[in-house]
Amino acid sequence: MADKRDYYEVLGLSKGASADEIKKSYRQLAKKYHPDLNPDNKEAETKFKEVNEAYEILSDPGKKEKYDRFGFAGVDPSYGAGQGGAGGFGGFGFGDGMEFDLGDIFGSFFGGGFGGGASSRSNPNAPRRGNDIQITVSLTFEEAAKGCTKNVEFPRIETCDECAGSGAAKGTSSQTCPECNGRGQITSQQRTPFGVISTQKQCPKCGGKGTYNPTPCNKCKGAGRIRRPIKKDIAIPAGIDDGQMFTVRGEGNRGLNGGPSGDLRVAVSLKPHPFFQRDGYNVWCEVDVSIVQAALGDELTVPTLDGQVKYSIPAGTQPGDVFKLKGKGIQVVNGTRRGDQLVKINVVIPKNLTDKQKELLKEFNKESGGKDVKPEEKGGIFGKKKKK
């Protein structure tokens, strides 16, 4: 990590910068080093990747907090404390990256059956669906617009591979519970003035299963399941937007007692683009032209999601005029229709004119029937006093 620069330094910010400051700095630097604006420039390409990496960490409140506290060790899995809790994944370890507790784990083991009916809750041997998992994936503007495949890593409860889910150590097996004789419940009797009342309750030794492991598995501590990091390629649908979520069926926590797996729910976080802005399925961008190009018309090179295209603006184009590139926008999710790209024209007024340029403009002004601009009139209507 010695060759890595501090993320705040990469974005030209001080520690404690606000979310708006981080976003603004990223947009400026991403535009400066964007590959489309710096073709075949390896240094710019490297800086662009560096800026994106810094923004991915500092724009995520959770990652930013870990980075502020622990530096690179808080966000890089190679340090054992990155996103997803790689630092505690040996069974039920509790490293800085592990954000769960035993109540959560055993709740997912024994809670919530197929609809949560009383019969499934009272029978710990009934099949149970695994809990859903939610993660957030960070995407570039182009990845979200066109769709892609992302490799993600997240913690998931799996069947213990050491004991194949039995919870018993190798060479041993579950035994009938001696407390309840395999019934899963124990009966107690209490003498009252109205006679002897019998009550039944879940066996505390076997948890109602009727069996127990005298020698529990060392890896899962008898639970039969462990939490471990999973790497998975997931398909991002084209057209997905910031803040939206989609579901990958069957990729959540594994079920219990033969129950089905839960789902993986993926929330999308988009990085801002240097010059594209999204409006539904349409894309906006701004293009700068000179006053000569605007007055005479010209053929422009306009960046789009499909690469650069040629577009001719007519003579007399005005500042703020908007032109439409039909079908160059974003694809509708799970559809084939695409939005449009809207191009707003900015007419750039030149500064620091030479004497010759000034004279030419004055000559142009006269030819256009305009009035000479005198020094005392430079203040405009607010620079002259009204005569009484």
Side-chain angles (χ1 to χ4, degrees), residues 19 22-23 26 52 55-63 83 134-145 148 150 152 234 236-237 239-246 265-273 278:
I22 292 171
K23 187 174 183 178
Y26 167 77
N52 273 280
Y55 180 76
E56 181 179 357
I57 299 300
L58 299 183
S59 64
D60 185 306
K63 293 180 182 178
Q83 183 185 21
Q134 181 170 320
I135 63 172
T136 299
V137 62
S138 180
L139 303 175
T140 66
F141 192 93
E142 291 88 349
E143 286 175 334
C148 64
K150 297 288 284 188
V152 298
I234 58 173
I236 308 295
I240 197 81
D241 202 357
D242 186 51
Q244 291 184 335
M245 183 177 291
F246 64 95
R265 295 171 57 78
V266 184
V268 171
S269 173
L270 288 192
K271 301 174 184 177
H273 196 275
R278 181 166 177 165

Side-chain angles (χ1 to χ4, degrees), residues 298-311:
D298 196 8
E299 185 178 70
L300 306 180
T301 299
V302 180
T304 74
L305 292 171
D306 301 317
Q308 296 182 337
V309 299
K310 300 291 186 181
Y311 186 84

Side-chain angles (χ1 to χ4, degrees), residues 365-385:
N365 192 44
K366 286 182 182 179
E367 289 293 325
S368 302
K371 183 181 177 183
D372 283 343
V373 179
K374 297 179 181 178
E376 62 269 18
E377 295 178 343
K378 287 184 178 179
I381 60 174
F382 300 106
K384 297 184 287 184
K385 294 183 179 179

Side-chain angles (χ1 to χ4, degrees), residues 179-376:
E179 292 288 329
C180 63
N181 294 319
R183 293 191 300 271
Q185 294 182 326
I186 57 175
T187 303
S188 62
Q189 295 182 333
Q190 184 178 4
R191 188 177 298 278
T192 72
F194 304 100
V196 177
I197 296 177
S198 297
T199 58
Q200 288 187 329
K201 63 179 181 179
Q202 189 180 78
C203 176
K205 184 174 183 66
C206 66
K209 290 185 174 183
T211 60
Y212 81 110
N213 295 313
T215 309
C217 170
N218 287 328
K219 189 169 185 178
C220 66
K221 310 304 180 188
R225 301 199 297 173
I226 58 172
R227 182 176 294 224
R228 66 181 183 186
I230 297 295
K231 288 186 177 181
K232 182 77 180 176
D233 285 336
I234 58 173
I236 308 295
I240 197 81
D241 202 357
D242 186 51
Q244 291 184 335
M245 183 177 291
F246 64 95
T247 300
V248 183
R249 301 294 180 191
E251 291 298 338
N253 289 333
R254 296 316 186 208
L256 188 66
N257 300 328
S261 298
D263 298 327
L264 177 65
R265 295 171 57 78
V266 184
V268 171
S269 173
L270 288 192
K271 301 174 184 177
H273 196 275
F275 40 84
F276 289 141
Q277 287 190 339
R278 181 166 177 165
D279 180 14
Y281 290 109
N282 293 332
V283 174
W284 282 85
C285 74
E286 297 184 4
V287 175
D288 295 339
V289 300
S290 69
I291 55 175
V292 175
Q293 288 175 299
L296 302 180
D298 196 8
E299 185 178 70
L300 306 180
T301 299
V302 180
T304 74
L305 292 171
D306 301 317
Q308 296 182 337
V309 299
K310 300 291 186 181
Y311 186 84
S312 296
I313 58 172
T317 294
Q318 299 298 306
D321 278 357
V322 176
F323 299 100
K324 181 189 293 186
L325 301 178
K326 192 167 182 60
K328 290 296 183 181
I330 295 170
Q331 180 178 317
V332 175
V333 178
N334 299 323
T336 56
R337 185 180 69 83
R338 289 182 63 173
D340 303 321
Q341 180 164 326
L342 304 171
V343 183
K344 181 181 177 182
I345 300 298
N346 293 328
V347 179
V348 180
I349 307 301
K351 298 179 180 179
N352 304 318
L353 296 175
T354 65
D355 290 340
K356 183 176 181 180
Q357 289 170 332
K358 292 177 183 178
E359 289 301 320
L360 290 172
L361 283 176
K362 289 179 181 179
E363 186 66 28
F364 170 78
N365 192 44
K366 286 182 182 179
E367 289 293 325
S368 302
K371 183 181 177 183
D372 283 343
V373 179
K374 297 179 181 178
E376 62 269 18

